[in-house]
Amino acid sequence: MKEFWKILVKYVRPYGKYLSWSVLLNMLSAIFNVFSFSLVIPMLQILFKINEAVYTYIPWGDDAFSFKEKLVNNAYYSVTQLVESAGPSATLLILCVALSVMTLLKTACYFGSSAVMIPIRTGVLRDMRMQLYKKILSLPLGFFSQERRGDIIARMTGDVSEVESSIMSSLDMLIKNPILITFYFATLLFISWQLTLFTIAVVPVMAWIMGVIGKQLKRKSLQVQEMWSDTMSQVEETLGGLRVIKAFVAEKKMTGRFADTTDSLRSKSAKVAIRQALAHPMSEFLGTVLIAIVLWFGGTLILGDKAPIDASTFIFYMVILYSILNPLKDFSKATYAIPKGLASMERIDKILDAENPIADHPTPKELDGFKSDITFEGVNFSYEDGKKILQDINFTIEKGKTFAIVGESGAGKSTLVDLIPRFYDVTSGAVKIDGTDIRELRTADLRGLIGYVNQEPILFNDTIFNNIAFGVKGATMEQVIEAAKIANAHEFIMEKEEGYNTNIGDRGTKLSGGQRQRLSIARAVLKNPPILILDEATASLDTESERLVQEALDRLMSSRTTIAIAHRLSTIKNSDEILVMKEGHIVERGRHDQLIAQNGYYKKLNDMQSL
Ligand code: ADP
């Protein structure tokens, strides 16, 4: 329950205004309800002609009688007056109209109280999704190698909806029901405290029975949500790997794997659902048993000599008692729903509370452009698993120079360049820009200096214009066209029917590999960063595309500091310096001719490629 209140305080606070409205409307609704039901008493008396007593009006100021006595007496007095003057039938009609009007008011308030909850529910849902999305964007890349993407999607969709449907709908119940219960209970006491004492003696037994069924629900729900995550992860993986699955005719295998997951999801959620399904019939049954017991006890009292209330009032009592059962039942529903929601909340919090190790320095140094050099000083690096990936890396890249990194796959080249924009932090040593440790800079400033072109260009399901203008605020069409021209992309873009407004599909699937690469180069051109990182930008292209892309790259690289990871050594012959990496170490360095002359590892790589 403590966790539950914490969630409410955290997410519902901004919507306090709506909460107050809900409380007010619920109170009015309860009051109208009690009064509309109280009209049952005179109606029954008229119909069954059971009240022969003669009433005289007691002035409200008369202190000899209690408020209750005056209220009851004067109400009866008015009704008998009305029966005498207008006749029983007309009185009944007036009472019926009064009943309808009261009920209209009651239901209107009831509707209002539900309606004011809607902005809270939808608002909390949106806030939670926004928080998660922002958090995902702020977390370092390292976080996502541990948490599978499908799992994160499951948390953003399934778990957030679960919180909404269980905790937020319980919130409605938790406001409404205590109010209803209080008012009804007060009415019960007002009518007959003797009968009410008896009633409350029976209730705790029933509550205990309900509680027993509700136990364990949270643990089981947690398992269900985990299975849901697995399911989403598989869907995500399948969508990403459709090409391979089809090529390897692995549909059956994948279907089998998916069937296993969905089967266990099914059996787990069935168990949760059965327990939940038990809640309603169980409370219905227990409620009726309660009514039956009170009916018997109260009936016996009325049949006896010293009846505390008359028969019509007893029926009113029973109606109110019956009304109090619904909110009580809802309470039991909430005790089932809240644990489910809390299980989901726990999973959401795992992302929201994840620490961001790559946080900005509390007092960051100002960065005024890129002036002289980038240095790696005794850099060592391991991923979370602790295996040493980079060891004792030392080098300096001077401004304006072209720097290449070569080595066989797995040598640590990508890892090394990922350290420059602080996608990961060094394990020891330091990466410095103009002599300042990059951990002392604002990450946004640092990354603003760097342009990226990857082996697999990352594009978004949007127009060509927006993909190029991505990351540059308020870019004009002229600037975008200019960048596209430099990137050798303008021509193929103009061949498209809608030109720059062409949508390129999910991740750019409507374009060829070379075209995608040229778009990502145009994007880098437009950003115009002083430092450029090229990660095997031409590796996956055919010769013709490679020529176009290489041309574009050469234009982009001129007048910039470039760090290029190269697969084909022919593309980096003219670099100012080449670092040769092997198993996380720098084994050789120098210009192409020097390295060839050394006749070492680089020469070997070069010879292998010439073959
Ligand atoms: P290269 O770019 O030279 O091919 P990488 O820098 O990609 O090499 O990888 C170097 C080593 O780091 C490889 O052994 C790879 O398995 C490991 N590695 C890469 N990314 C991760 C990661 N996110 N978590 C753990 N190990 C990783």
Side-chain angles (χ1 to χ4, degrees), residues 181 184-185 188 194-212 282-283 285-294 317-318 320-332:
I181 292 173
Y184 291 156
F185 188 71
L188 291 182
Q194 300 93 326
L195 213 49
T196 309
L197 272 187
F198 175 77
T199 311
I200 43 179
V202 190
V203 170
V205 184
M206 313 243 154
W208 177 76
I209 298 175
M210 295 302 298
V212 172
M282 199 67 188
S283 53
F285 173 70
L286 292 175
T288 312
V289 170
L290 176 73
I291 294 273
I293 295 173
V294 178
Y317 185 92
M318 293 312 287
I320 296 292
L321 183 62
Y322 193 77
S323 309
I324 213 174
L325 283 182
N326 265 328
L328 279 178
K329 264 189 249 170
D330 280 350
F331 251 143
S332 72

Side-chain angles (χ1 to χ4, degrees), residues 145 383 385 387 389 408-416 424 536:
S145 51
Y383 286 105
D385 55 14
K387 199 180 136 223
I389 302 293
E408 55 194 20
S409 154
K413 305 181 294 291
S414 307
T415 308
L416 189 148
Y424 296 93
E536 311 209 50

Side-chain angles (χ1 to χ4, degrees), residues 56 75 122 185 258 276 345 363 490 504 508 521 550 570 592:
T56 45
T122 49
F185 188 71
F258 192 68
Q276 264 199 319
M345 200 59 223
T363 49
H490 183 65
I504 58 169
I521 293 172
Q550 193 61 50
S570 55
H592 178 73

Side-chain angles (χ1 to χ4, degrees), residues 65 101-102 112 127 151 154 193 224 258 270 273 327 338 364 390 409 430 461 465 500 512 548-550 563 570:
F65 298 91
V101 171
M102 288 254 212
D127 296 347
D151 180 60
W193 61 266
V224 169
F258 192 68
I338 290 173
L390 295 177
S409 154
N461 190 349
F465 178 90
Y500 282 82
S512 78
L548 287 170
V549 170
Q550 193 61 50
I563 304 146
S570 55

Side-chain angles (χ1 to χ4, degrees), residues 425-443:
D425 267 342
V426 295
T427 311
S428 66
V431 178
K432 294 184 174 175
I433 280 192
D434 296 342
T436 310
D437 193 318
I438 56 171
R439 283 168 292 189
E440 291 170 10
L441 297 172
R442 239 179 250 114
T443 325

Side-chain angles (χ1 to χ4, degrees), residues 12-23 116 120:
V12 180
R13 183 177 289 170
Y15 304 96
K17 181 179 74 184
Y18 295 106
L19 273 189
S20 334
W21 270 108
S22 168
V23 170
V116 293
I120 306 185

